[in-house]
């Protein structure tokens, strides 16, 4: 029994050296300093607030994706979920301009939850690999958006002022979209760190067999993670189309890659069981700063893609190195706990 005592379990997620959050804060500060040397206006409080607002949807989606990745799964359909949900609420808003915004938001949340639950059920009950499931549903959800719209766009003149105004409304001179992102960060902190389902996500990704012996159903934990991710994607569906004032089939095409990149840069392990809300948020902000700064310094879109890809590879290498070191700590602690000499 001593071989599975709590110190060993604690060591499995402890990383040597500086925490990822500290490293990311330093990287963001260095990046901002380099940009400020050439364009001081970029680092003014007003512009940094705009950068946060521009990155808000990425932050929110990354928090949902982080829950899925923690369970050794992945959701490639988040952007397609966003596109389908955004199309549905746009069509509803265009057909019924007097429909209360709260109803449209609830529709977005409910539809996103249903789409996420569909992914989760296929993974849980049919034991299909998550990457296969979400590759399939990615296409299905995009196809459904095309069928519902007939390939047509829903433009700003078809949307009511209330529909368009919510993300742009100001509270204490800060857009509601930014407040929603902050609220989701707070909610994620509570769910990940203070609830049984959050602990189940970490346990499932860290060691599914041990989680099962501890009374946790890994399949159910993955299902709940997909539901969480889907609900968040549904909310972002409304936020996206109302902020950009347009809905079409290919909206947010490829955005799922940015979402996954934000998680990886933030230290969420693709192998599951390791990650944090703070790291995920900082990973998304790091990407947001790069995407806002590179056009300012006249970097071509193709070079931007290459830079983003290089950063992702570097983050994966850093994650792999950290996890390998954590594994060695587990072996040393296990040896000590078992009473055998090192």
């Amino acid at each position: 029994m001593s071989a599975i005592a709590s110190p060993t379990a604690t060591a499995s997620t402890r990383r040597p050296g500086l925490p990822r959050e500290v490293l990311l804060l330093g990287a963001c500060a260095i990046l901002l300093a380099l940009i400020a040397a050439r364009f001081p206006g970029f680092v003014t409080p007003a512009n940094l607030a705009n950068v946060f607002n521009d990155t808000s949807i990425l932050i929110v989606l990354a928090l949902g994706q982080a829950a899925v990745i923690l369970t050794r799964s992945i959701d490639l359909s988040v952007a397609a979920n966003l596109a389908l949900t955004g199309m549905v609420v746009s069509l509803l808003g265009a057909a019924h301009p007097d429909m209360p915004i709260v109803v449209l938001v609830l529709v977005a949340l409910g539809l996103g939850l249903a789409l996420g639950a569909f992914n989760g059920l296929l993974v849980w009950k049919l034991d299909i690999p998550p990457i296969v499931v979400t590759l399939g549903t990615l296409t299905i959800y995009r196809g459904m958006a095309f069928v519902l719209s007939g390939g047509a766009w829903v433009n700003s003149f078809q949307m009511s002022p209330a529909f368009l105004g919510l993300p742009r409304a100001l509270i204490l001179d800060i857009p509601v979209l930014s407040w929603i992102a902050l609220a989701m960060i707070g909610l994620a902190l509570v769910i990940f760190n203070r609830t049984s389902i959050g602990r189940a996500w970490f346990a499932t990704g860290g060691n599914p067999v041990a989680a099962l012996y501890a009374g946790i159903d890994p399949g159910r934990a993955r299902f709940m993670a997909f539901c969480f991710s889907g609900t968040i994607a549904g909310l972002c569906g409304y936020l996206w189309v109302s902020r950009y004032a347009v809905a079409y089939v290919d909206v947010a095409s490829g955005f799922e890659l940015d979402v996954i990149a934000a998680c990886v840069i933030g230290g969420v392990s693709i192998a599951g069981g390791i990650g944090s809300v703070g790291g995920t948020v900082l990973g998304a902000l790091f990407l947001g700063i790069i995407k806002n700064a590179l056009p300012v310094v006249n970097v071509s879109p193709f070079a931007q893609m290459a830079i983003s890809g290089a950063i992702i590879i570097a983050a994966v290498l850093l994650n792999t190195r950290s996890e390998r070191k954590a594994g060695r700590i587990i072996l040393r602690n296990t040896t000590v706990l078992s009473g055998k000499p090192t």
Side-chain angles (χ1 to χ4, degrees):
M1 292 297 293
S2 61
I4 56 173
S6 59
T8 305
T10 302
S12 65
T13 57
R14 187 186 297 128
R15 288 174 173 166
L18 292 174
R20 175 59 67 90
E21 291 83 353
V22 175
L23 294 174
L24 279 171
L25 276 173
C28 289
I30 292 171
L31 182 60
L32 289 173
L34 292 173
I35 298 167
R38 186 171 179 183
F39 297 98
F42 188 88
V43 296
T44 61
N47 190 68
L48 291 178
N50 289 333
V51 171
F52 181 86
N53 194 60
D54 288 341
T55 315
S56 292
I57 293 177
L58 176 60
I59 291 172
V60 175
L61 280 175
L63 292 171
Q65 185 72 250
V68 175
I69 296 177
L70 280 175
T71 66
R72 295 193 184 185
S73 302
I74 197 164
D75 188 355
L76 299 178
S77 68
V78 286
N81 183 328
L82 181 157
L84 175 56
T85 306
M87 180 61 72
V88 168
V89 295
S90 296
L91 291 172
L92 277 175
H96 306 282
D98 297 328
M99 183 175 291
I101 296 302
V102 66
V103 174
L104 291 174
V105 172
L106 290 174
V107 168
L109 290 169
L111 180 56
L113 171 60
L115 298 177
F118 181 65
N119 287 335
L121 283 172
L122 292 177
V123 172
W124 180 18
K125 296 300 184 182
L126 299 184
D127 201 25
I128 304 174
I131 191 170
V132 175
V133 168
T134 55
L135 270 175
T137 54
L138 181 158
T139 307
I140 292 171
Y141 298 162
R142 292 279 182 190
M144 291 173 64
F146 179 85
V147 171
L148 287 174
S149 65
W153 291 29
V154 181
N155 294 298
S156 58
F157 67 87
Q158 298 170 273
M159 302 175 182
S160 67
F163 184 95
L164 296 172
L166 178 60
R168 299 174 178 80
L170 297 178
I171 299 177
L172 301 177
D173 292 328
I174 298 175
V176 168
L177 180 59
S178 294
W179 285 114
I180 291 173
L182 292 171
M184 290 305 304
I185 293 170
L187 178 63
L189 283 169
V190 173
I191 293 175
F192 279 56
N193 301 320
R194 301 295 180 184
T195 66
S196 59
I197 188 59
R199 291 189 288 270
W201 291 340
F202 281 97
T204 297
N207 191 327
V209 176
L212 187 62
Y213 278 108
I216 296 170
D217 184 345
R220 183 177 180 275
R222 291 190 179 99
F223 171 75
M224 295 300 294
F226 276 105
C227 288
F228 181 67
S229 176
T231 304
I232 284 180
L235 172 63
C236 290
Y238 164 73
L239 295 175
W240 185 291
V241 298
S242 60
R243 183 172 191 270
Y244 295 106
V246 65
Y248 55 97
V249 174
D250 289 328
V251 70
S253 180
F255 198 63
E256 62 274 358
L257 301 180
D258 289 340
V259 174
I260 296 169
C263 294
V264 172
I265 293 170
V268 182
S269 173
I270 294 296
I274 297 175
S276 69
V277 172
T280 302
V281 172
L282 288 171
L285 285 173
F286 186 75
L287 274 183
I289 293 171
I290 289 176
K291 289 183 177 294
N292 279 271
L294 291 182
V296 173
V297 296
N298 296 322
V299 176
S300 73
F302 300 103
Q304 292 176 35
M305 294 171 62
I307 292 171
S308 298
I311 291 170
I312 294 168
I313 293 173
V316 171
L317 289 174
L318 180 59
N319 287 352
T320 303
R321 179 184 174 88
S322 299
E323 291 155 23
R324 190 181 300 120
K325 289 181 178 179
R328 287 198 290 270
I329 292 174
I330 292 170
L331 292 175
R332 289 201 296 270
N333 283 357
T334 303
T335 303
V336 173
L337 288 168
S338 63
K340 296 179 182 180
T342 56

